[in-house]
Amino acid sequence: MGLIKLAAETLGALGNAVNTTGESLWVDYFESGDMSGGVIMKRGTKIGSKGSMNKGGDQNIISSGSGIDVQENQCMILVENGRIVDFCAEPGRYQFDASTAPSLMSGNNSGLKAILSSVGNQFLAGGSRTNTQRVYYINLGEIQGFKWGSGNIVFDHWESDIQTGQPVWHIATTLMGNGVYSIHVTDPAKFFQVIGSQKTGGDNGGLVTKTDIEAQIKTEAIAAIRQAVGQLAKLRIPYTDIASNEAQLTEEVNEILSRSWGEARGIAIFKIAIGMMDADENSKAKIEKYQETRGYTDPSMLGAYMGMGQTQAMQAAGANPNGAMAGFAGINMMGGVAGGANISNLMQQGQAAQQQPVQQAPQGDSWTCPSCGTANAGKFCMNCGTKRPEQTAAAFCPNCGQPIDRAAAPKFCPNCGQKLG
């Protein structure tokens, strides 16, 4: 049994072929109907016409000569007695011929290609006459509308050097985020075997929607998103840049879920969209304090601060009720207390620092000194002599994705209480 694809010119020559329910063309005709609104799988709709030769047709038998329609982003599977005997993932209009071998048109779907030989061998081996024969359609497009909320995520927030732009300082922050994600079926054969087949018993319509699987996959998806957000710290970015790395986040989540989703269910994350990702107030206060302090360590910034301060002081001196001279005398006294710091010298030092070439990170097994931010390759920092920190392998809670410090060897997850091995 197989499918014969009908060319456009053939359909035109048949006259009524443009009308899928044309009375003179098809014995019966099967199409998917509407698959919007989160429909992932459904049984094909059998359309019989007044002029059909199949007057006593069985709803569970596909007559030779019937037409089958396959739309874009669809996979049609032909199921006999609960097992897949033919499939087609190439859009077009087909005629079913019970006398030919299975057509097995996989398009470019790797999941379908994997079962080509097994379906072909089943046909060659022969067997008893089928009892049920049905057409099902699986949506290969993007299924949208899955929501996620992360709860608390520990993220290693990085700050960059003002002069060089290199990440030099980091602090553990607590983030909370939410958004939406979408999925798509990557292996329709696996999806049907694991999930879809549960909806095909009896006269069931084989309908599977996103609502049917959302509860099953939501917990795993959120745990993977939490873990993937934590892993984005490897990019040494501030938490405010997480939203601009949605593609990387999607890739990380798919890597985490590849076995439990891809290999086991034939599903993958299509895209993750971040609606909100923000740090708690305590983390924001720490970051703000660092940024303010960091400004005073840069000669140009310090010179600018002092210039602003002197300008404000001069304006206040001019308005001094005891006379401008008394006000300026106070300014001179403060200059002496400050050690005679010269604004011009500070600005020149800052410009000289900016003109220094940015030190490139050594190739190979490089690391960044936590004390001065210099990139190194050896055991000690070549700028300040600090010893290279011991490397601790990353670990995550299997339940919530919380990063775990292996060196501390905790027995329970500090975020959700999950017992650790």
Side-chain angles (χ1 to χ4, degrees):
M1 63 199 68
L3 301 174
I4 302 172
K5 187 172 185 178
L6 301 180
E9 55 268 22
T10 303
L11 289 170
L14 290 173
N16 287 336
V18 175
N19 178 2
T20 59
T21 61
E23 298 181 4
S24 62
L25 179 58
W26 311 111
V27 174
D28 287 309
Y29 194 83
F30 293 85
E31 62 180 14
S32 65
D34 184 19
M35 293 193 74
S36 62
V39 175
I40 305 176
M41 189 187 90
K42 65 183 298 188
R43 185 176 176 180
T45 302
K46 183 177 181 178
I47 302 173
S49 62
K50 295 179 180 178
S52 172
M53 295 177 291
N54 193 21
K55 298 298 185 182
D58 187 337
Q59 289 294 324
N60 291 319
I61 295 295
I62 303 173
S63 302
S64 188
S66 294
I68 296 179
D69 184 63
V70 180
Q71 298 292 326
E72 290 282 353
N73 286 325
Q74 283 184 351
C75 175
M76 184 283 301
I77 57 175
L78 182 59
V79 177
E80 276 192 357
N81 296 337
R83 69 178 167 87
I84 299 174
V85 294
D86 203 351
F87 52 79
C88 179
E90 298 178 10
R93 189 167 294 167
Y94 299 85
Q95 182 172 326
F96 177 70
D97 188 343
S99 65
T100 61
S103 47
L104 308 177
M105 287 175 279
S106 63
N108 293 318
N109 191 277
S110 58
L112 292 174
K113 289 179 180 179
I115 67 169
L116 286 175
S117 59
S118 63
V119 173
N121 290 336
Q122 290 168 3
F123 176 79
L124 293 174
S128 60
R129 178 63 186 143
T130 179
N131 293 320
T132 61
Q133 195 176 55
R134 297 171 180 173
V135 172
Y136 292 98
Y137 290 90
I138 296 177
N139 188 350
L140 302 183
E142 180 183 10
I143 310 297
Q144 302 175 334
F146 295 85
K147 298 180 180 180
W148 63 271
S150 67
N152 290 339
I153 304 176
V154 176
F155 180 77
D156 205 13
H157 169 89
W158 281 83
E159 291 280 333
S160 298
D161 182 81
I162 297 174
Q163 301 295 340
T164 66
Q166 298 295 317
V168 295
W169 178 84
H170 59 101
I171 183 174
T173 58
T174 301
L175 307 181
M176 293 188 69
N178 60 54
V180 295
Y181 63 94
S182 57
I183 67 168
H184 65 141
V185 176
T186 54
D187 186 340
K190 179 64 69 176
F191 177 85
F192 177 80
Q193 292 165 356
V194 176
I195 298 177
S197 59
Q198 301 176 26
K199 297 284 188 174
T200 60
D203 292 326
N204 193 299
L207 181 64
V208 179
T209 69
K210 79 181 192 71
T211 304
D212 295 315
I213 66 171
E214 187 168 15
Q216 183 178 1
I217 66 177
K218 184 176 182 179
T219 301
E220 297 173 45
I222 292 177
I225 291 172
R226 290 167 55 85
Q227 186 174 338
V229 168
Q231 290 182 354
L232 286 183
K234 296 176 182 177
L235 302 178
R236 296 187 174 185
I237 59 175
Y239 77 86
T240 51
D241 284 356
I242 292 177
S244 62
N245 287 273
E246 289 179 345
Q248 177 76 15
L249 180 62
T250 300
E251 183 178 338
E252 291 281 357
V253 170
N254 272 330
E255 181 67 25
I256 296 169
L257 296 175
S258 61
R259 180 168 297 179
S260 62
W261 281 29
E263 297 177 18
R265 299 169 184 159
I267 304 173
I269 291 284
F270 188 86
K271 180 177 175 58
I272 297 172
I274 298 174
M276 181 277 293
M277 185 64 69
D278 201 9
D280 65 5
E281 294 304 318
N282 185 45
S283 298
K284 287 181 178 179
K286 291 179 181 179
I287 295 171
E288 184 177 350
K289 183 176 181 180
Y290 165 79
Q291 292 172 337
E292 182 179 352
T293 304
R294 187 72 180 174
Y296 289 103
T297 66
D298 175 70
S300 296
M301 293 295 291
L302 182 57
Y305 288 148
M306 292 183 65
M308 290 172 59
Q310 288 195 9
T311 299
Q312 294 172 354
M314 291 172 67
Q315 292 174 344
N320 194 312
N322 296 321
M325 293 303 297
F328 282 108
I331 293 176
N332 291 332
M333 291 178 61
M334 290 304 298
V337 173
N342 189 293
I343 295 176
S344 177
N345 288 341
L346 290 172
M347 299 299 289
Q348 290 176 4
Q349 291 176 29
Q351 292 174 1
Q354 292 178 8
Q355 294 171 0
Q356 292 179 358
V358 177
Q359 190 171 18
Q360 299 297 321
Q363 298 297 316
D365 185 19
S366 62
W367 58 282
T368 301
C369 177
S371 299
C372 67
T374 302
N376 300 278
K379 296 181 178 180
F380 296 89
C381 177
M382 59 184 177
N383 183 56
C384 67
T386 299
K387 186 178 180 181
R388 177 175 182 167
E390 294 294 332
Q391 298 297 308
T392 303
F396 301 90
C397 173
N399 180 52
C400 68
Q402 170 83 10
I404 302 296
D405 183 3
R406 287 184 177 174
K411 295 183 179 180
F412 297 90
C413 173
N415 184 61
C416 70
Q418 170 73 28
K419 186 176 181 180
L420 305 174

